[in-house]
Amino acid sequence: MRLVVAGSPAAAVPTLRRLAASDHEIAAVLTRPPTPQGRKRVLTPTPVAQVAAELGLPVIQAVRVDDTVTAQLAGLDVDLGVIVAYGALLRRAALDTPRHGWINLHFSDLPAYRGAAPVQRAVMAGDTRTAATVFQLVEALDAGPVFASEPFTIDPEATAGDVLAAMADTGAEVVAHVVDGIADGTAIATEQIGEPTTAPKTTIEDGHVDFARPAAAVHAHVRGVTPEPGAFAHLGDTRVKLLRATRSLPGGPEQSAPSLAPGALTVQNGLLLVGTADGPLVLTEVQPAGKKPMDAAAWARGLGALDGKVLA
């Protein structure tokens, strides 16, 4: 089949590579235009655009799929559109352009976590399982019938970034299987079952950590907003990014843990502990404002006496 593949971030790259290596033909790749990146704000193509150039594939760059882009897609005479985190909705005219419509790889067990941030919201909620789901794209948000869904276990220490990277590889195989099934007529889509939940895009404020919650909830929150938008708290007037944390204390569960008020800091056995509602959490990597990421215990030693110092 002739395909058009739409995507922008790194999570879409495994699917692009997998389909490029298949027997199907990629007529074009649709991605968002370059954006300023890094401290120097260098204009940088999306990860998908970079890989498409490496593979020698034609690229269409567009912020949205308007009439002009729809006409370009129509001129490609494609059988199927494949979309993974492109970053814009497709209107009816664009949805109807490929002969078999569009399929979408979504990183949740639909209808759970429909929306822009399914992995982040699942990790933030403390979920232990999710799925890579391929469904038929319709005008309603992530509501189309499902072709295939591959279960995925969330590692209890993994960040949302870790989970998404692993799921991107899993999802690429699911997409390839569905594309093959559509090509040979064996693919069957079934309507989603269950009560939908939503996964709205995270904001900077979603990264603010509340240590008055239980340790498990705080840990899940830190993992879920890492690397974007990033977990943070304030030490006085200083904003501190919380890059890594764990609930594992040295010596295992039998290791005695100090009683700390929510947000209070102490160093034990060379590790920086922060209090929560029901026990301490270990901070392993932080980034104070204006500084590079650093070992959390080393940062704490540089603060001097920790009595009275509280993250909030």
Side-chain angles (χ1 to χ4, degrees):
M1 287 197 302
R2 276 175 63 83
L3 310 174
V4 58
V5 179
S8 297
V13 167
T15 293
L16 176 59
R17 288 194 181 279
R18 178 65 178 82
L19 293 176
S22 73
D23 293 332
H24 306 289
E25 177 190 0
I26 298 179
V29 173
L30 173 63
T31 191
R32 294 176 70 82
T35 55
Q37 299 291 322
R39 290 187 177 182
K40 295 185 178 180
R41 311 302 289 164
V42 177
L43 206 59
T44 305
T46 68
V48 164
Q50 294 177 48
V51 172
E54 171 196 324
L55 296 172
L57 299 171
V59 175
I60 300 171
Q61 296 181 343
V63 173
R64 61 185 179 276
V65 182
D66 56 15
D67 292 342
T68 300
V69 176
T70 300
Q72 287 180 276
L73 296 175
L76 295 172
D77 190 32
V78 296
D79 298 299
L80 179 69
V82 178
I83 190 165
V84 185
Y86 165 57
L89 296 176
L90 273 62
R91 295 181 296 178
R92 171 52 55 191
L95 289 175
D96 290 343
T97 297
R99 274 179 281 277
H100 294 285
W102 292 75
I103 59 172
N104 190 109
L105 170 60
H106 190 72
F107 299 106
S108 83
D109 191 7
L110 290 172
Y113 296 115
R114 292 177 178 175
V119 173
Q120 290 163 301
R121 296 296 180 181
V123 176
M124 289 169 70
D127 291 0
T128 59
R129 294 181 63 81
T130 184
T133 301
V134 176
F135 68 97
Q136 186 81 42
L137 204 62
V138 296
E139 287 187 282
L141 181 64
D142 300 331
V146 171
F147 282 103
S149 186
E150 182 68 24
F152 187 91
T153 299
I154 299 175
D155 186 294
E157 293 290 338
T159 66
D162 299 331
V163 174
L164 184 57
M167 290 189 73
D169 291 332
T170 298
E173 294 301 320
V174 182
V175 169
H177 174 74
V178 171
V179 171
D180 289 344
I182 292 173
D184 65 22
T186 60
I188 298 174
T190 59
E191 295 299 326
Q192 297 180 25
I193 300 174
E195 188 67 26
T197 59
T198 58
K201 183 178 180 179
T202 54
T203 66
I204 291 177
E205 192 54 35
D206 282 318
H208 194 179
V209 176
D210 178 9
F211 291 100
R213 301 171 69 199
V218 175
H219 186 219
H221 187 176
V222 172
R223 292 165 48 230
V225 296
T226 301
E228 295 291 340
F232 71 91
H234 295 97
L235 185 66
D237 295 330
T238 301
R239 179 178 169 128
V240 182
K241 292 183 180 179
L242 312 175
L243 304 182
R244 288 277 178 176
T246 180
R247 295 185 66 196
S248 299
L249 292 173
E254 69 279 0
Q255 172 69 43
S256 61
S259 177
L260 295 171
L265 299 171
T266 191
V267 172
Q268 176 176 289
N269 297 329
L271 298 176
L272 177 60
L273 308 184
V274 58
T276 71
D278 62 357
L281 191 69
V282 181
L283 297 180
T284 56
E285 187 178 15
V286 301
Q287 184 177 7
K291 297 185 179 180
K292 294 181 179 181
M294 61 190 303
D295 176 77
W299 168 71
R301 288 192 293 271
L303 298 176
L306 295 179
D307 292 345
K309 290 184 170 64
V310 176
L311 286 173

